[in-house]
Amino acid sequence: MNGWVGRCLRVNLTEGKHSIEELVPESREKFLGGRGLGVKVYADEVPPQTDPLSPDNKLIFSSGPLVGTGAVTGASCNVVTKSSLSGTIACAKMRGHFGAEMKYAGFDMIIVEGKAESPVILSIMDDKIRLVSALEYWGRSTSETEDRFKASLGDQWTARETFLATIGPAGERLLPIANIVNDRFLSVGGAGIGAVMGSKNLKAVAVKGQHSLEVSDGNRFVQVVNTMINKLNSSPLTSQSMTQWGTAFLVGLCYPKKILPNNNFLQASVSLKNLGTDALESAFALRSRGCFACPVACIKKTEMKHHIYEGKGMVPTYLAIGSLGLNCGISDLSTIGTASMLCAEAGLDPVAAGGTLATAMELVEKKVTTKDELKIDLQFGNDNSLLEALQLISTKKGHAKRMGQGAKALAESFERPDLFMGVKGMSMAPFDPRAIQGMGLHFATCNYGPHHLYGYTFIDELLGVNENLDPLTTEGKPALVKLYQDTTAVMDSLGLCNWPLMGLKFKNFVPLINSCLGTNYTADDLLSIGERVWNAERLFNVKAGIDGSHDKLPARFTEEPISCGNGEGQVSMVNEMLPEYYSLRGWSGQGVPLAETLKTLELEDS
Amino acid sequence: MPRIKVDHAKCTGCRHCEIACSLNHVANTANPRRARIRIMKDENRYYPVLSGPFVDAACTSKQLIEIGGHKYDMCAFCRASCPEKPYFIEAETGIPLKCDFCGIPPAPSCVRWCNTGALELVED
Ligand code: SF4
Ligand code: SF4
């Protein structure tokens, strides 16, 4: 069926029943699949006011039509639900092999409804769909869950081909900062989804299968893939930087420009160890690992040797180094690596967990609270306390309880909401909006909180891939933000990873998409689908009570200028850029899509 | 004679080679279970295995192989498929598959899509 399997699995955990449905061709045309179709189905089925942790909420795993076909980087599956951290729509990106295997198992989409009476694992293996009791898995770390489940299969050959998406203790305890972890240690990008899975008593989803996927024009498709591999190889960013070091190579570029924040975005002048790629290589022996069908292979694995965490692990990414490292004043890579492993094992989102600890550290620094009250010696730069806190958060012991609720709740509980560095309840990815204006606007407006992977402006503002733009100026940025938000929305809907946009232009993907799906899309057609997806998400948020008044950056970014170094004296001009952005989007001054915009996008406001 | 040299240390486990093979042998079809090359995962490593002949009885000479201090089950890299190891059995037909060294010269399809150098066409 040209990319799609065309089937959706609906599992009702309350009744312990499942059904198999066909995906409606019309909505596939309008929303493609993956994130777009996930959002469409979710918004049609779940009332916006639904409590994220109630059995009425649904959790959707949705792979794009290009996933598993061999399309370059076609690996991504989106997890769509209402986030328990932000209350917005969540469409978290899952990398690795789960998305492709889900399609070989025979489904483009899995919709999970209701709540199981006791913990279960949803196992979809070779057309056998079962709910397996997960009592003996409950409380276990993500890797232990994976190992035990695979061992329970009793056959090493089956085990090797099985992929799992699982929550850790953090998700079980319904912590809003929990996420889902798949394929051993790959955290699904975004908080607020792990608790939803936990609230359904769903410990994991396991997939394996042998269904075939069809592509429309195999010969052409193979040629296009060849060309794309060559193109990726001719760009230094995708053939060297990402391939050698993963996203961590960005650290060396962002730090001197003050884009990489430190100390809860205070941007103090602190002396830090070198965190560049040389340091990374001397701290870890890197081993590349690829998501399905990815020639770039930016995931780096290693053997960790820290007294708290030893064994197989992941080399920290840009996100981890920023959120769990510098933003907590920590620059020791071995500590940061350990911290990110603690997150992966407990099923904590590194950005949300790091953001919370950074807030706690600032609360101590500002003497709002003390280490005695917190019962942990949290201070910027204190490696041991960071690791201790991360271990405690998912046990919900003592004061760590407060922290499991996220940075916003923590700051508010001490009556200092101004110390929460995030938007819509989500902690900010480590990009300082004052030093990179377009990203700042994206952070303010992103439907799913301030996450850089939903608006790739840094590829121009920092890396100069398509256009060489100064990160400190605002001119043309609203249009840039809209363009990249729409681009990522359509890439996610197709199931393509966004990182290759560093080496390939969006238009390079068009022949790939058409030869795979048998369509005749132009780049503009596809971008307008992206725009439709973006508006559908916004519409859901507005109905859930999250409108333009939530498109706000913390006052720190608009009022406190960067105090030293590059970008000194800069503040974020987000409020100046917002009106232009809204008007480009066809939204009202309150950030709500106008009726005529919805009509052009063929979205009905029901 | 040209042959495919495998350097497992370079393999990232992306499985693009599996799909290249599947697309090349079954028109317009992507399915790792219809490929004649499969990536075997063992611990933290990936081993690309090109399928050899199908043997209808499991062998008796199983051994542990030592690589870099680790001991591995030989079955994981054995190129043959056998009743004990159901790899390389065509998903839809049940027919055992064998690498036929396909592809337009200079490279078979799996080598062409392998971007890491884990698969390489060599002459010797
Ligand atoms: S040489 Fe051809 S048949 Fe053999 S594994 Fe590679 S792609 Fe498959
Ligand atoms: S394409 Fe190359 S790197 Fe990827 S799995 Fe196959 S052999 Fe390994």
Side-chain angles (χ1 to χ4, degrees), chain A residues 69-70 97 101 104 156-157 160-161 209-215 218 225-226 229 233 287 289-291 293 295 312, chain B residues 12-16 19 28-34 38 41-42 44-46 73 75 84 87 91-92 112-113 115:
Chain A
T69 60
H97 290 246
E101 198 59 43
Y104 300 136
Q156 58 155 322
W157 307 111
R160 271 172 221 263
E161 298 187 306
Q210 23 187 298
H211 285 257
S212 291
L213 300 174
E214 267 170 53
V215 300
V225 172
N226 290 342
I229 295 180
N233 285 343
R287 207 181 144 77
R289 186 183 158 184
C291 292
K312 284 174 229 139
Chain B
T12 65
C14 72
R15 294 160 74 202
H16 218 184
I19 304 301
N28 304 332
T29 301
N31 186 347
R33 279 80 184 177
R34 303 182 84 162
R38 296 298 305 277
K41 187 173 181 234
D42 218 296
N44 234 3
R45 290 156 197 266
Y46 297 96
D73 180 355
C75 277
E84 283 215 359
Y87 272 57
E92 257 126 271
R112 271 226 294 215
W113 278 15
N115 199 33

Short mmCIF file of all heavy atoms in Angstrom, two decimals, chain A residues 69-70 97 101 104 156-157 160-161 209-215 218 225-226 229 233 287 289-291 293 295 312, chain B residues 12-16 19 28-34 38 41-42 44-46 73 75 84 87 91-92 112-113 115:
data_model
loop_
_atom_site.label_atom_id
_atom_site.label_comp_id
_atom_site.label_asym_id
_atom_site.label_seq_id
_atom_site.Cartn_x
_atom_site.Cartn_y
_atom_site.Cartn_z
N THR A 69 10.64 1.72 5.22
CA THR A 69 10.69 1.43 3.79
C THR A 69 12.12 1.46 3.25
O THR A 69 12.35 1.14 2.11
CB THR A 69 9.90 2.48 2.99
OG1 THR A 69 10.50 3.77 3.24
CG2 THR A 69 8.44 2.51 3.40
N GLY A 70 13.05 1.92 4.07
CA GLY A 70 14.41 2.11 3.60
C GLY A 70 14.67 3.55 3.20
O GLY A 70 15.78 3.91 2.85
N HIS A 97 14.67 1.84 16.46
CA HIS A 97 14.11 0.82 15.57
C HIS A 97 12.67 0.46 15.89
O HIS A 97 12.05 -0.31 15.18
CB HIS A 97 14.98 -0.45 15.63
CG HIS A 97 16.32 -0.27 14.99
ND1 HIS A 97 16.70 -0.92 13.86
CD2 HIS A 97 17.36 0.54 15.31
CE1 HIS A 97 17.94 -0.55 13.51
NE2 HIS A 97 18.36 0.33 14.39
N GLU A 101 9.89 -1.44 13.38
CA GLU A 101 9.45 -2.79 13.76
C GLU A 101 7.93 -2.83 13.97
O GLU A 101 7.27 -3.82 13.66
CB GLU A 101 10.19 -3.25 15.02
CG GLU A 101 10.16 -4.73 15.26
CD GLU A 101 10.77 -5.57 14.13
OE1 GLU A 101 11.83 -5.17 13.63
OE2 GLU A 101 10.20 -6.60 13.76
N TYR A 104 6.53 -3.47 10.68
CA TYR A 104 6.68 -4.88 10.27
C TYR A 104 5.73 -5.75 11.09
O TYR A 104 5.30 -6.80 10.65
CB TYR A 104 8.12 -5.35 10.45
CG TYR A 104 9.11 -4.55 9.63
CD1 TYR A 104 10.32 -4.12 10.16
CD2 TYR A 104 8.81 -4.21 8.31
CE1 TYR A 104 11.21 -3.38 9.41
CE2 TYR A 104 9.69 -3.45 7.55
CZ TYR A 104 10.89 -3.04 8.11
OH TYR A 104 11.76 -2.30 7.37
N GLN A 156 16.44 -16.89 21.87
CA GLN A 156 17.32 -15.75 21.61
C GLN A 156 17.08 -15.12 20.24
O GLN A 156 17.28 -13.93 20.03
CB GLN A 156 18.78 -16.16 21.76
CG GLN A 156 19.20 -17.29 20.85
CD GLN A 156 20.69 -17.27 20.57
OE1 GLN A 156 21.27 -16.22 20.40
NE2 GLN A 156 21.32 -18.44 20.55
N TRP A 157 16.63 -15.91 19.25
CA TRP A 157 16.45 -15.35 17.90
C TRP A 157 15.27 -14.42 17.86
O TRP A 157 15.30 -13.38 17.21
CB TRP A 157 16.31 -16.48 16.88
CG TRP A 157 17.45 -17.45 17.00
CD1 TRP A 157 17.38 -18.73 17.46
CD2 TRP A 157 18.83 -17.18 16.74
NE1 TRP A 157 18.63 -19.28 17.48
CE2 TRP A 157 19.54 -18.36 17.04
CE3 TRP A 157 19.53 -16.07 16.29
CZ2 TRP A 157 20.93 -18.45 16.90
CZ3 TRP A 157 20.90 -16.16 16.14
CH2 TRP A 157 21.58 -17.34 16.45
N ARG A 160 16.22 -11.15 19.76
CA ARG A 160 17.05 -10.21 19.02
C ARG A 160 16.26 -9.29 18.11
O ARG A 160 16.71 -8.22 17.75
CB ARG A 160 18.01 -10.99 18.12
CG ARG A 160 19.31 -11.36 18.76
CD ARG A 160 20.04 -12.28 17.80
NE ARG A 160 20.68 -13.35 18.53
CZ ARG A 160 21.95 -13.33 18.88
NH1 ARG A 160 22.70 -12.32 18.56
NH2 ARG A 160 22.47 -14.32 19.55
N GLU A 161 15.10 -9.77 17.68
CA GLU A 161 14.33 -8.98 16.72
C GLU A 161 13.21 -8.20 17.38
O GLU A 161 12.40 -7.58 16.71
CB GLU A 161 13.70 -9.91 15.67
CG GLU A 161 14.73 -10.66 14.86
CD GLU A 161 14.07 -11.43 13.73
OE1 GLU A 161 13.16 -12.21 14.02
OE2 GLU A 161 14.47 -11.25 12.60
N GLY A 209 7.65 -8.38 14.02
CA GLY A 209 6.76 -8.93 13.01
C GLY A 209 7.45 -9.15 11.69
O GLY A 209 8.65 -8.90 11.56
N GLN A 210 6.71 -9.67 10.72
CA GLN A 210 7.33 -9.89 9.43
C GLN A 210 6.48 -9.47 8.26
O GLN A 210 6.57 -10.01 7.18
CB GLN A 210 7.80 -11.31 9.26
CG GLN A 210 7.14 -12.38 10.10
CD GLN A 210 7.87 -13.69 9.89
OE1 GLN A 210 7.91 -14.19 8.79
NE2 GLN A 210 8.48 -14.23 10.93
N HIS A 211 5.64 -8.46 8.48
CA HIS A 211 4.87 -7.93 7.36
C HIS A 211 5.79 -7.19 6.40
O HIS A 211 6.75 -6.55 6.82
CB HIS A 211 3.81 -6.96 7.88
CG HIS A 211 2.65 -7.64 8.52
ND1 HIS A 211 1.45 -7.81 7.90
CD2 HIS A 211 2.54 -8.23 9.74
CE1 HIS A 211 0.62 -8.46 8.71
NE2 HIS A 211 1.26 -8.73 9.84
N SER A 212 5.47 -7.23 5.12
CA SER A 212 6.25 -6.48 4.13
C SER A 212 5.65 -5.10 3.92
O SER A 212 4.44 -4.92 4.05
CB SER A 212 6.23 -7.21 2.79
OG SER A 212 6.97 -8.40 2.88
N LEU A 213 6.52 -4.14 3.60
CA LEU A 213 6.03 -2.82 3.22
C LEU A 213 6.29 -2.64 1.74
O LEU A 213 7.30 -3.11 1.22
CB LEU A 213 6.79 -1.74 4.00
CG LEU A 213 6.66 -1.81 5.52
CD1 LEU A 213 7.56 -0.78 6.18
CD2 LEU A 213 5.21 -1.58 5.93
N GLU A 214 5.37 -1.96 1.07
CA GLU A 214 5.56 -1.74 -0.36
C GLU A 214 6.01 -0.32 -0.63
O GLU A 214 5.57 0.60 0.04
CB GLU A 214 4.22 -1.94 -1.06
CG GLU A 214 3.98 -3.34 -1.56
CD GLU A 214 2.55 -3.48 -2.02
OE1 GLU A 214 2.09 -2.66 -2.84
OE2 GLU A 214 1.88 -4.41 -1.53
N VAL A 215 6.85 -0.16 -1.62
CA VAL A 215 7.11 1.20 -2.10
C VAL A 215 6.58 1.26 -3.53
O VAL A 215 6.53 0.26 -4.24
CB VAL A 215 8.61 1.58 -2.05
CG1 VAL A 215 9.13 1.51 -0.64
CG2 VAL A 215 9.43 0.70 -2.96
N GLY A 218 10.01 1.17 -6.87
CA GLY A 218 11.24 0.67 -6.25
C GLY A 218 12.52 1.12 -6.94
O GLY A 218 13.47 1.54 -6.28
N VAL A 225 17.59 7.12 -3.05
CA VAL A 225 18.31 6.86 -1.80
C VAL A 225 19.82 6.94 -2.04
O VAL A 225 20.55 7.58 -1.27
CB VAL A 225 17.92 5.50 -1.18
CG1 VAL A 225 18.81 5.16 0.00
CG2 VAL A 225 16.47 5.52 -0.75
N ASN A 226 20.29 6.36 -3.15
CA ASN A 226 21.72 6.46 -3.47
C ASN A 226 22.17 7.93 -3.52
O ASN A 226 23.18 8.29 -2.92
CB ASN A 226 22.01 5.84 -4.84
CG ASN A 226 21.87 4.33 -4.81
OD1 ASN A 226 21.90 3.72 -3.75
ND2 ASN A 226 21.72 3.73 -5.97
N ILE A 229 22.28 9.49 -0.05
CA ILE A 229 23.44 9.06 0.75
C ILE A 229 24.67 9.84 0.30
O ILE A 229 25.43 10.36 1.12
CB ILE A 229 23.67 7.54 0.62
CG1 ILE A 229 22.48 6.77 1.23
CG2 ILE A 229 24.97 7.12 1.30
CD1 ILE A 229 22.60 5.26 1.16
N ASN A 233 26.93 12.51 2.46
CA ASN A 233 28.37 12.33 2.60
C ASN A 233 29.16 13.53 2.17
O ASN A 233 30.32 13.68 2.54
CB ASN A 233 28.82 11.11 1.79
CG ASN A 233 28.41 9.83 2.49
OD1 ASN A 233 28.10 9.85 3.67
ND2 ASN A 233 28.39 8.74 1.75
N ARG A 287 31.16 4.70 20.20
CA ARG A 287 30.78 3.69 19.25
C ARG A 287 29.46 4.11 18.62
O ARG A 287 28.49 4.35 19.32
CB ARG A 287 30.62 2.37 19.99
CG ARG A 287 30.86 1.17 19.13
CD ARG A 287 30.65 -0.12 19.92
NE ARG A 287 30.06 -1.09 19.00
CZ ARG A 287 30.75 -1.74 18.08
NH1 ARG A 287 32.04 -1.55 17.96
NH2 ARG A 287 30.15 -2.57 17.26
N ARG A 289 25.96 4.23 16.65
CA ARG A 289 24.82 3.36 16.50
C ARG A 289 23.78 4.11 15.68
O ARG A 289 23.54 5.29 15.91
CB ARG A 289 24.28 3.03 17.87
CG ARG A 289 23.19 2.04 17.79
CD ARG A 289 22.60 1.77 19.12
NE ARG A 289 21.28 1.24 18.86
CZ ARG A 289 20.42 0.96 19.80
NH1 ARG A 289 20.71 1.16 21.05
NH2 ARG A 289 19.24 0.49 19.49
N GLY A 290 23.18 3.43 14.72
CA GLY A 290 22.24 4.11 13.83
C GLY A 290 20.81 3.79 14.14
O GLY A 290 20.48 2.67 14.52
N CYS A 291 19.93 4.78 13.97
CA CYS A 291 18.52 4.48 13.94
C CYS A 291 18.26 3.71 12.66
O CYS A 291 19.11 3.64 11.79
CB CYS A 291 17.69 5.75 13.90
SG CYS A 291 17.77 6.71 15.39
N ALA A 293 17.74 2.59 9.13
CA ALA A 293 17.99 3.17 7.81
C ALA A 293 18.66 4.54 7.86
O ALA A 293 18.40 5.38 7.01
CB ALA A 293 16.70 3.25 7.00
N PRO A 295 22.06 6.65 7.55
CA PRO A 295 23.48 6.62 7.21
C PRO A 295 24.32 7.54 8.12
O PRO A 295 25.54 7.49 8.06
CB PRO A 295 23.52 7.16 5.77
CG PRO A 295 22.10 7.37 5.35
CD PRO A 295 21.27 7.41 6.58
N LYS A 312 27.19 -0.77 30.01
CA LYS A 312 26.84 -0.19 28.72
C LYS A 312 26.04 1.08 28.92
O LYS A 312 25.16 1.15 29.77
CB LYS A 312 25.98 -1.17 27.94
CG LYS A 312 26.78 -2.29 27.35
CD LYS A 312 25.86 -3.31 26.71
CE LYS A 312 26.22 -4.68 27.18
NZ LYS A 312 25.12 -5.54 27.46
N THR B 12 26.88 0.08 12.43
CA THR B 12 26.09 0.85 13.40
C THR B 12 24.74 0.20 13.69
O THR B 12 23.95 0.74 14.46
CB THR B 12 25.81 2.27 12.87
OG1 THR B 12 24.98 2.14 11.71
CG2 THR B 12 27.08 3.00 12.50
N GLY B 13 24.48 -0.91 13.02
CA GLY B 13 23.18 -1.57 13.24
C GLY B 13 22.01 -0.85 12.61
O GLY B 13 20.87 -1.04 13.05
N CYS B 14 22.27 -0.05 11.56
CA CYS B 14 21.18 0.73 10.97
C CYS B 14 20.25 -0.11 10.10
O CYS B 14 19.14 0.31 9.79
CB CYS B 14 21.72 1.89 10.16
SG CYS B 14 22.48 1.39 8.61
N ARG B 15 20.70 -1.25 9.68
CA ARG B 15 19.89 -2.19 8.90
C ARG B 15 19.46 -1.68 7.53
O ARG B 15 18.52 -2.18 6.93
CB ARG B 15 18.66 -2.65 9.71
CG ARG B 15 19.08 -3.46 10.93
CD ARG B 15 17.99 -3.51 11.96
NE ARG B 15 16.92 -4.39 11.57
CZ ARG B 15 15.68 -4.29 12.06
NH1 ARG B 15 15.40 -3.37 12.95
NH2 ARG B 15 14.74 -5.10 11.67
N HIS B 16 20.15 -0.65 7.05
CA HIS B 16 19.83 -0.17 5.71
C HIS B 16 20.17 -1.24 4.67
O HIS B 16 19.52 -1.35 3.64
CB HIS B 16 20.59 1.13 5.43
CG HIS B 16 19.79 2.13 4.66
ND1 HIS B 16 20.30 3.32 4.23
CD2 HIS B 16 18.52 2.10 4.22
CE1 HIS B 16 19.36 3.99 3.57
NE2 HIS B 16 18.27 3.27 3.55
N ILE B 19 17.33 -3.69 3.99
CA ILE B 19 16.26 -3.19 3.12
C ILE B 19 16.75 -3.09 1.67
O ILE B 19 16.00 -3.37 0.73
CB ILE B 19 15.76 -1.81 3.62
CG1 ILE B 19 15.30 -1.93 5.07
CG2 ILE B 19 14.62 -1.30 2.76
CD1 ILE B 19 14.20 -2.92 5.30
N ASN B 28 9.76 -3.80 -5.25
CA ASN B 28 9.07 -2.78 -4.47
C ASN B 28 8.77 -3.19 -3.03
O ASN B 28 7.83 -2.68 -2.42
CB ASN B 28 7.74 -2.38 -5.13
CG ASN B 28 7.93 -1.92 -6.55
OD1 ASN B 28 9.00 -1.40 -6.88
ND2 ASN B 28 6.93 -2.10 -7.39
N THR B 29 9.54 -4.09 -2.50
CA THR B 29 9.20 -4.61 -1.17
C THR B 29 10.32 -4.39 -0.15
O THR B 29 11.46 -4.76 -0.39
CB THR B 29 8.89 -6.12 -1.25
OG1 THR B 29 7.79 -6.28 -2.15
CG2 THR B 29 8.53 -6.69 0.10
N ALA B 30 9.95 -3.80 0.96
CA ALA B 30 10.90 -3.58 2.04
C ALA B 30 10.52 -4.48 3.21
O ALA B 30 9.44 -4.33 3.77
CB ALA B 30 10.88 -2.12 2.48
N ASN B 31 11.36 -5.42 3.53
CA ASN B 31 11.11 -6.30 4.66
C ASN B 31 12.40 -7.00 5.05
O ASN B 31 12.93 -7.80 4.28
CB ASN B 31 10.04 -7.34 4.27
CG ASN B 31 9.63 -8.20 5.46
OD1 ASN B 31 10.29 -8.19 6.50
ND2 ASN B 31 8.55 -8.95 5.29
N PRO B 32 12.90 -6.71 6.23
CA PRO B 32 14.16 -7.33 6.65
C PRO B 32 14.10 -8.85 6.61
O PRO B 32 15.11 -9.50 6.40
CB PRO B 32 14.34 -6.86 8.09
CG PRO B 32 13.43 -5.70 8.26
CD PRO B 32 12.34 -5.84 7.26
N ARG B 33 12.91 -9.40 6.83
CA ARG B 33 12.79 -10.86 6.84
C ARG B 33 12.78 -11.45 5.44
O ARG B 33 12.62 -12.64 5.28
CB ARG B 33 11.53 -11.30 7.60
CG ARG B 33 11.72 -11.32 9.10
CD ARG B 33 11.59 -9.95 9.66
NE ARG B 33 11.85 -9.84 11.09
CZ ARG B 33 11.83 -8.67 11.72
NH1 ARG B 33 11.61 -7.55 11.09
NH2 ARG B 33 12.07 -8.63 13.01
N ARG B 34 12.94 -10.61 4.45
CA ARG B 34 13.09 -11.13 3.10
C ARG B 34 14.48 -10.76 2.56
O ARG B 34 14.71 -10.78 1.37
CB ARG B 34 12.00 -10.57 2.21
CG ARG B 34 10.62 -10.88 2.75
CD ARG B 34 9.52 -10.38 1.88
NE ARG B 34 9.25 -11.34 0.82
CZ ARG B 34 8.12 -11.34 0.10
NH1 ARG B 34 7.17 -10.45 0.34
NH2 ARG B 34 7.93 -12.23 -0.85
N ARG B 38 21.55 -10.10 7.26
CA ARG B 38 20.86 -9.70 8.49
C ARG B 38 21.89 -9.23 9.49
O ARG B 38 23.03 -9.69 9.51
CB ARG B 38 20.06 -10.87 9.09
CG ARG B 38 18.91 -11.39 8.23
CD ARG B 38 17.83 -10.36 7.97
NE ARG B 38 17.29 -9.78 9.18
CZ ARG B 38 16.33 -10.34 9.91
NH1 ARG B 38 15.80 -11.49 9.55
NH2 ARG B 38 15.90 -9.77 11.02
N LYS B 41 22.57 -8.85 16.53
CA LYS B 41 23.00 -8.01 17.63
C LYS B 41 23.50 -8.90 18.75
O LYS B 41 22.87 -9.90 19.09
CB LYS B 41 21.84 -7.16 18.11
CG LYS B 41 22.25 -6.16 19.12
CD LYS B 41 21.12 -5.22 19.46
CE LYS B 41 21.62 -4.23 20.46
NZ LYS B 41 20.83 -4.12 21.66
N ASP B 42 24.63 -8.55 19.28
CA ASP B 42 25.14 -9.31 20.40
C ASP B 42 25.77 -8.32 21.36
O ASP B 42 26.66 -7.57 20.97
CB ASP B 42 26.19 -10.31 19.92
CG ASP B 42 26.08 -11.61 20.67
OD1 ASP B 42 26.31 -11.60 21.90
OD2 ASP B 42 25.76 -12.61 20.03
N ASN B 44 26.81 -5.22 22.87
CA ASN B 44 26.77 -3.87 22.33
C ASN B 44 27.18 -3.82 20.87
O ASN B 44 27.39 -2.76 20.33
CB ASN B 44 27.73 -3.00 23.15
CG ASN B 44 27.01 -1.78 23.68
OD1 ASN B 44 25.81 -1.63 23.47
ND2 ASN B 44 27.74 -0.92 24.35
N ARG B 45 27.37 -4.97 20.26
CA ARG B 45 27.92 -4.97 18.90
C ARG B 45 26.92 -5.48 17.88
O ARG B 45 25.99 -6.19 18.21
CB ARG B 45 29.18 -5.85 18.85
CG ARG B 45 30.32 -5.26 19.58
CD ARG B 45 31.28 -6.36 19.98
NE ARG B 45 32.17 -5.86 21.01
CZ ARG B 45 33.36 -5.35 20.76
NH1 ARG B 45 33.82 -5.30 19.53
NH2 ARG B 45 34.11 -4.88 21.74
N TYR B 46 27.20 -5.14 16.64
CA TYR B 46 26.36 -5.62 15.55
C TYR B 46 27.20 -6.39 14.57
O TYR B 46 28.30 -5.96 14.22
CB TYR B 46 25.71 -4.44 14.84
CG TYR B 46 24.80 -3.66 15.73
CD1 TYR B 46 25.25 -2.51 16.37
CD2 TYR B 46 23.50 -4.08 15.95
CE1 TYR B 46 24.41 -1.80 17.21
CE2 TYR B 46 22.66 -3.39 16.79
CZ TYR B 46 23.12 -2.24 17.43
OH TYR B 46 22.30 -1.55 18.25
N ASP B 73 28.47 -16.52 21.13
CA ASP B 73 27.89 -17.74 20.60
C ASP B 73 28.11 -17.76 19.08
O ASP B 73 27.70 -16.86 18.37
CB ASP B 73 26.39 -17.69 20.92
CG ASP B 73 25.66 -18.91 20.43
OD1 ASP B 73 26.29 -19.74 19.76
OD2 ASP B 73 24.45 -19.01 20.72
N CYS B 75 26.72 -19.36 16.83
CA CYS B 75 25.48 -19.37 16.06
C CYS B 75 25.11 -17.99 15.54
O CYS B 75 24.49 -17.86 14.50
CB CYS B 75 24.33 -19.85 16.93
SG CYS B 75 24.23 -21.61 17.02
N GLU B 84 17.40 -24.67 13.89
CA GLU B 84 17.52 -24.04 15.22
C GLU B 84 17.59 -22.53 15.14
O GLU B 84 17.41 -21.83 16.11
CB GLU B 84 18.78 -24.56 15.92
CG GLU B 84 18.55 -25.93 16.47
CD GLU B 84 19.28 -26.17 17.76
OE1 GLU B 84 19.99 -25.26 18.24
OE2 GLU B 84 19.14 -27.27 18.30
N TYR B 87 16.67 -17.76 10.90
CA TYR B 87 16.96 -16.59 10.08
C TYR B 87 17.06 -17.01 8.62
O TYR B 87 17.28 -18.18 8.31
CB TYR B 87 18.28 -15.95 10.52
CG TYR B 87 18.09 -14.95 11.62
CD1 TYR B 87 17.48 -15.34 12.81
CD2 TYR B 87 18.49 -13.63 11.48
CE1 TYR B 87 17.30 -14.43 13.84
CE2 TYR B 87 18.31 -12.73 12.50
CZ TYR B 87 17.71 -13.13 13.68
OH TYR B 87 17.52 -12.23 14.69
N ALA B 91 10.05 -14.71 4.65
CA ALA B 91 8.90 -14.55 5.53
C ALA B 91 7.63 -15.10 4.90
O ALA B 91 6.89 -15.83 5.55
CB ALA B 91 8.72 -13.07 5.85
N GLU B 92 7.38 -14.76 3.67
CA GLU B 92 6.08 -15.10 3.11
C GLU B 92 6.00 -16.50 2.52
O GLU B 92 4.94 -17.10 2.43
CB GLU B 92 5.65 -14.05 2.09
CG GLU B 92 4.61 -13.13 2.69
CD GLU B 92 4.95 -11.65 2.61
OE1 GLU B 92 5.60 -11.12 3.54
OE2 GLU B 92 4.57 -11.05 1.62
N ARG B 112 26.19 -0.94 -1.39
CA ARG B 112 25.93 0.43 -1.82
C ARG B 112 25.23 1.26 -0.74
O ARG B 112 25.46 2.45 -0.62
CB ARG B 112 25.06 0.41 -3.07
CG ARG B 112 25.89 0.34 -4.32
CD ARG B 112 25.38 1.32 -5.31
NE ARG B 112 24.05 0.91 -5.71
CZ ARG B 112 23.59 1.09 -6.93
NH1 ARG B 112 24.33 1.68 -7.83
NH2 ARG B 112 22.39 0.69 -7.23
N TRP B 113 24.35 0.66 -0.01
CA TRP B 113 23.63 1.43 1.01
C TRP B 113 24.35 1.46 2.35
O TRP B 113 23.94 2.16 3.26
CB TRP B 113 22.20 0.90 1.17
CG TRP B 113 21.27 1.44 0.14
CD1 TRP B 113 21.64 2.07 -1.02
CD2 TRP B 113 19.85 1.42 0.15
NE1 TRP B 113 20.52 2.42 -1.73
CE2 TRP B 113 19.40 2.03 -1.04
CE3 TRP B 113 18.89 0.93 1.04
CZ2 TRP B 113 18.05 2.18 -1.36
CZ3 TRP B 113 17.54 1.07 0.72
CH2 TRP B 113 17.12 1.69 -0.46
N ASN B 115 26.76 2.83 4.61
CA ASN B 115 27.50 4.08 4.52
C ASN B 115 28.69 4.14 5.46
O ASN B 115 29.38 5.15 5.55
CB ASN B 115 26.55 5.24 4.83
CG ASN B 115 27.09 6.55 4.32
OD1 ASN B 115 27.76 6.59 3.30
ND2 ASN B 115 26.80 7.63 5.04
#
